[in-house]
C-alpha cells in the first residue's frame, strides 16, 4: 500500500485542488484510518488467499468491491477513507511493472517496497505538503516500524518507485474528485 507519507501527500493535495471537503481534519483522519489500526486486514477488506503468485496477492490486498458494498460515503471522514482505499487499490493493481510483478515473490516485493519508502520520504517532505498534525505520534511510530521492516543490513534493493512515477500516480488519482469517482461507481 502507499506509505503514510504518500497518503498524506494525496490528501493534502486533494484539499488544495478541490473544495468539496468541509472538515479537513476529519478527511485526513479518514484517509489515514485504515493504516493506523491494529487489524489492517479488516480495515482494507483484504480477501484471504494463500497463493504464492504476487499478482494474485496484490489483487486481493484491497477488497475494494467489498468495501463499496457496505460503505456509506456521506461525510468527510468517509471520503478520506474512500480516497485511501481507492489509492491503495490503484497502487497495487495499476502501478507496478507487470514483468516485475510476474517474476517477484511477495517477500522480495515487500523488501523492495519498504526500502524505497525510506528513500522517498525526504522527496515527499520536500515536494508535498507533508504535515503530520494532528497525528504526529501515531505516524512517527508507523514510520519507525516501516523503517525497521526495511532494515536489510545495507542490502541494496530495486528501485520500484521512481519520484516521477510517484508524482504521476498522485496526479492520476487526483484527476477526479471523490464525487465524480462515486458517481462513476454509481454510489453517490
Amino acid at each position: 500500500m502507499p506509505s503514510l507519507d504518500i497518503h498524506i501527500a494525496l490528501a493534502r493535495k486533494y484539499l488544495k485542488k478541490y473544495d468539496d471537503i468541509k472538515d479537513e481534519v476529519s478527511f485526513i483522519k479518514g484517509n489515514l484510518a485504515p493504516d493506523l489500526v491494529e487489524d489492517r486486514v479488516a480495515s482494507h477488506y483484504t480477501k484471504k488467499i494463500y497463493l504464492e503468485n504476487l499478482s494474485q496477492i496484490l489483487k486481493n490486498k484491497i477488497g475494494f468491491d467489498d468495501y463499496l458494498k457496505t460503505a456509506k460515503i456521506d461525510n468527510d471522514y468517509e471520503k478520506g477513507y474512500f480516497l485511501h482505499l481507492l489509492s491503495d487499490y490503484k497502487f497495487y493493481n495499476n502501478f507496478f511493472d507487470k514483468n516485475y510483478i510476474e517474476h517477484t515473490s511477495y517477500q522480495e516485493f515487500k523488501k523492495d517496497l519498504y526500502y524505497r519508502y525510506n528513500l522517498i520520504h525526504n522527496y515527499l517532505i520536500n515536494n508535498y505538503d507533508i504535515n503530520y498534525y494532528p497525528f504526529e505520534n501515531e505516524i512517527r511510530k508507523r514510520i519507525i516500524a516501516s523503517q525497521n521492516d526495511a532494515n536489510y543490513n545495507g542490502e541494496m534493493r530495486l528501485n520500484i518507485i521512481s519520484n516521477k512515477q510517484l508524482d504521476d500516480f498522485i496526479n492520476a488519482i487526483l484527476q477526479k474528485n471523490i464525487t465524480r469517482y462515486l458517481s462513476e461507481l454509481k454510489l453517490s
Side-chain angles (χ1 to χ4, degrees), residues 5 111 113-115 117-122 132 139-153:
D5 287 340
K111 288 179 182 180
L113 185 63
Y114 284 97
Y115 173 77
Y117 283 167
N118 286 331
L119 298 178
I120 62 174
H121 175 75
N122 286 336
Y132 298 140
I139 290 172
R140 292 277 177 219
K141 283 190 250 176
R142 294 290 178 170
I143 288 171
I144 290 167
S146 75
Q147 288 170 340
N148 290 338
D149 286 344
N151 185 4
Y152 305 113
N153 299 321

Side-chain angles (χ1 to χ4, degrees), residues 10-159:
L10 272 162
R12 298 241 187 245
K13 191 166 181 178
Y14 184 94
L15 291 168
K16 287 180 180 175
K17 185 171 183 171
Y18 299 108
D19 63 358
D20 58 337
I21 303 298
K22 305 296 181 247
D23 184 348
E24 292 182 5
V25 172
S26 289
F27 177 73
I28 293 171
K29 280 183 181 179
N31 185 258
L32 297 176
D35 285 349
L36 296 181
V37 297
E38 288 300 315
D39 189 355
R40 293 194 302 192
V41 169
S43 69
H44 288 80
Y45 296 78
T46 303
K47 297 175 184 175
K48 293 188 190 275
I49 59 164
Y50 304 98
L51 300 175
E52 291 298 317
N53 178 305
L54 178 58
S55 178
Q56 287 297 312
I57 292 170
L58 296 181
K59 244 180 220 156
N60 290 292
K61 287 291 274 182
I62 309 301
F64 197 61
D65 291 340
D66 292 340
Y67 161 72
L68 293 174
K69 288 176 191 172
T70 61
K72 291 187 180 180
I73 306 164
D74 57 2
N75 61 56
D76 292 337
Y77 178 90
E78 294 300 329
K79 288 177 183 178
Y81 204 103
F82 172 83
L83 182 64
H84 180 107
L85 291 185
L86 174 73
S87 57
D88 277 2
Y89 181 81
K90 289 186 176 281
F91 189 74
Y92 277 135
N93 290 285
N94 303 329
F95 183 76
F96 297 102
D97 178 74
K98 302 287 184 224
N99 187 49
Y100 170 80
I101 296 298
E102 289 176 14
H103 296 94
T104 304
S105 72
Y106 181 63
Q107 292 306 319
E108 291 300 309
F109 171 76
K110 280 180 48 176
K111 288 179 182 180
D112 291 340
L113 185 63
Y114 284 97
Y115 173 77
R116 191 61 186 140
Y117 283 167
N118 286 331
L119 298 178
I120 62 174
H121 175 75
N122 286 336
Y123 175 78
L124 288 165
I125 295 289
N126 293 326
N127 292 283
Y128 290 89
D129 182 18
I130 305 293
N131 177 341
Y132 298 140
Y133 175 81
F135 317 101
E136 185 82 29
N137 292 335
E138 187 61 34
I139 290 172
R140 292 277 177 219
K141 283 190 250 176
R142 294 290 178 170
I143 288 171
I144 290 167
S146 75
Q147 288 170 340
N148 290 338
D149 286 344
N151 185 4
Y152 305 113
N153 299 321
E155 176 185 353
M156 293 301 292
R157 303 300 313 170
L158 292 176
N159 179 7

